[in-house]
């Protein structure tokens, strides 16, 4: 994903160790989405994506860190969010992004669904090297 | 121990109004509580009001679908009421259409549906 200039003052970081932390992370994302001027529907989509990804970080990654910041492009403002863990990683990324595929007890909509809800999506993972998912939603 | 969502009994209907940002454990607890309350009270209908929920992700969506299925097996019809438009748009894009879950725009319409459903004998499945 391209790097965009960030509003450093808006930067948020939430350690994810429990399902309560997932709630905190999505609340932090919502505050930034409101500040960035995302429409209500786009706020809802981004926060829902953050909820899916935060749960993955907790359940499959064994916990990790959520980071969020407001970013700017030439004429637009958006919210960048990333979830990183140092868990087992994803062996087959393409498969993991398929609707309905799950390694656990979920419905397999988390990753693929989150990707549909955002404007930019990047998944970095390798077996044993943890997973980082980065998403971006622009205000429009 | 996490907070629990209260389950209220009104006649033969159980009413759940979710007013807080749900942690996953609260979602699981609610499913347990509802199932037990249906049996304990002999309730014929369940209304789950989600008008205060700012998001419904796949975990909560699955709980709604599972709860509706469990209730049906236990002889109660479930209606989910008050979904916000932005939540509905997000849910469908996420890939969850909540097939099998009866929904209504608001509490009044949901209760009306249950009342009508109770006037007709339950369908045998």
């Amino acid at each position: 994903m391209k790097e965009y200039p960030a509003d450093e003052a808006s930067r948020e970081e939430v350690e994810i160790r429990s399902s309560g932390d997932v709630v905190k992370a999505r609340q932090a994302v919502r505050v930034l989405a409101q500040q960035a001027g995302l429409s209500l529907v786009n706020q809802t989509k981004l926060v829902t994506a953050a909820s899916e990804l935060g749960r993955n970080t907790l359940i499959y990654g064994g916990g990790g860190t959520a980071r969020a910041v407001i970013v700017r492009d030439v004429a637009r403002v958006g919210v960048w969010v990333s979830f990183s863990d140092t868990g087992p990683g994803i062996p087959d990324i393409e498969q993991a992004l398929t609707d309905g595929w799950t390694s656990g007890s979920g419905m397999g909509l988390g990753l693929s669904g989150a990707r549909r809800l955002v404007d930019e999506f990047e998944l970095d993972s390798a077996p044993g090297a943890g997973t980082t998912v980065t998403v971006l939603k622009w205000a429009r | 121990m996490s907070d629990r969502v209260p389950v209220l009994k009104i006649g033969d209907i159980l009413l759940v109004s979710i007013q807080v940002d749900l942690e996953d454990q609260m979602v699981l607890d609610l499913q347990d509580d509802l199932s037990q309350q249906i049996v304990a009270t002999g309730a014929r209908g369940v209304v789950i009001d989600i008008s205060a929920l700012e998001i419904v992700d796949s975990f909560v969506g699955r709980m709604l679908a599972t709860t509706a299925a469990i209730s049906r097996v236990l002889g109660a019809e479930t209606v989910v009421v008050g979904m916000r438009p932005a939540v509905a748009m997000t849910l469908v894009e996420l890939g969850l259409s909540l097939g099998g879950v009866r929904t209504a725009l608001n509490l009044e319409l949901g209760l009306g549906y249950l009342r009508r459903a109770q006037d007709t004998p339950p369908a045998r499945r």
Side-chain angles (χ1 to χ4, degrees):
Chain A
M1 189 184 298
K2 190 183 158 193
E3 277 206 27
Y4 298 96
D7 271 2
E8 288 307 325
S10 71
R11 197 175 283 280
E12 294 279 351
E13 193 169 306
V14 177
E15 290 298 316
I16 296 187
R17 300 273 170 253
S18 69
S19 64
D21 295 335
V22 176
V23 174
K24 277 183 212 152
R26 67 188 189 215
Q27 285 168 349
V29 169
R30 173 166 298 268
V31 170
L32 292 192
Q34 285 167 344
Q35 283 173 7
L38 267 68
S39 69
L40 184 57
V41 171
N42 283 338
Q43 286 177 34
T44 305
K45 288 180 179 176
L46 179 63
V47 174
T48 304
S51 188
E52 301 292 345
L53 299 174
R55 180 178 301 109
N56 284 354
T57 298
L58 180 66
I59 293 175
Y60 302 112
T65 308
R67 295 180 179 86
V69 71
I70 293 176
V71 293
R72 290 176 193 282
D73 198 8
V74 183
R76 52 183 184 171
V77 184
V79 180
W80 174 99
V81 186
S82 89
F83 289 87
S84 299
D85 66 61
T86 53
I90 301 171
D92 187 338
I93 289 177
E94 208 168 304
Q95 185 187 44
L97 283 169
T98 310
D99 263 353
W101 184 84
T102 176
S103 65
S105 57
M107 287 193 303
L109 287 174
L111 267 184
S112 55
R115 179 159 72 164
R116 281 195 292 274
L117 294 175
V118 297
D119 297 320
E120 297 185 33
F121 179 99
E122 190 170 279
L123 173 59
D124 288 311
S125 185
T131 300
T132 296
V133 183
T134 311
V135 299
L136 208 166
K137 188 92 183 158
W138 296 109
R140 56 169 70 89
Chain B
M1 195 178 144
S2 59
D3 298 333
R4 293 180 105 88
V5 179
V7 177
L8 309 174
K9 180 179 175 295
I10 305 167
D12 55 4
I13 288 173
L14 297 178
L15 174 62
V16 177
S17 184
I18 302 171
Q19 296 291 330
V20 292
D21 205 343
L22 289 172
E23 284 183 30
D24 288 359
Q25 189 56 49
M26 296 173 72
V27 174
L28 298 174
D29 289 344
L30 174 58
Q31 198 168 299
D32 278 0
D33 290 350
L34 256 180
S35 310
Q36 282 171 23
Q37 287 291 316
I38 290 168
V39 173
T41 64
R44 298 286 308 280
V46 175
V47 178
I48 304 178
D49 172 22
I50 60 167
S51 58
L53 282 190
E54 291 181 335
I55 66 159
V56 172
D57 63 12
S58 65
F59 193 80
V60 173
R62 180 166 61 150
M63 177 277 281
L64 294 174
T66 309
T67 300
I70 293 170
S71 307
R72 192 173 304 128
V73 172
L74 295 175
E77 193 74 25
T78 298
V79 188
V80 173
V81 303
M83 185 181 293
R84 299 181 182 195
V87 170
M89 292 165 75
T90 302
L91 254 185
V92 171
E93 200 160 337
L94 186 64
L96 269 178
S97 52
L98 293 190
V101 180
R102 171 70 58 171
T103 56
L105 281 184
N106 56 46
L107 183 57
E108 192 176 4
L109 292 171
L111 289 171
Y113 166 76
L114 285 179
R115 216 168 287 132
R116 284 194 303 280
Q118 285 171 8
D119 288 342
T120 50
R124 292 276 163 225
R125 285 167 193 272

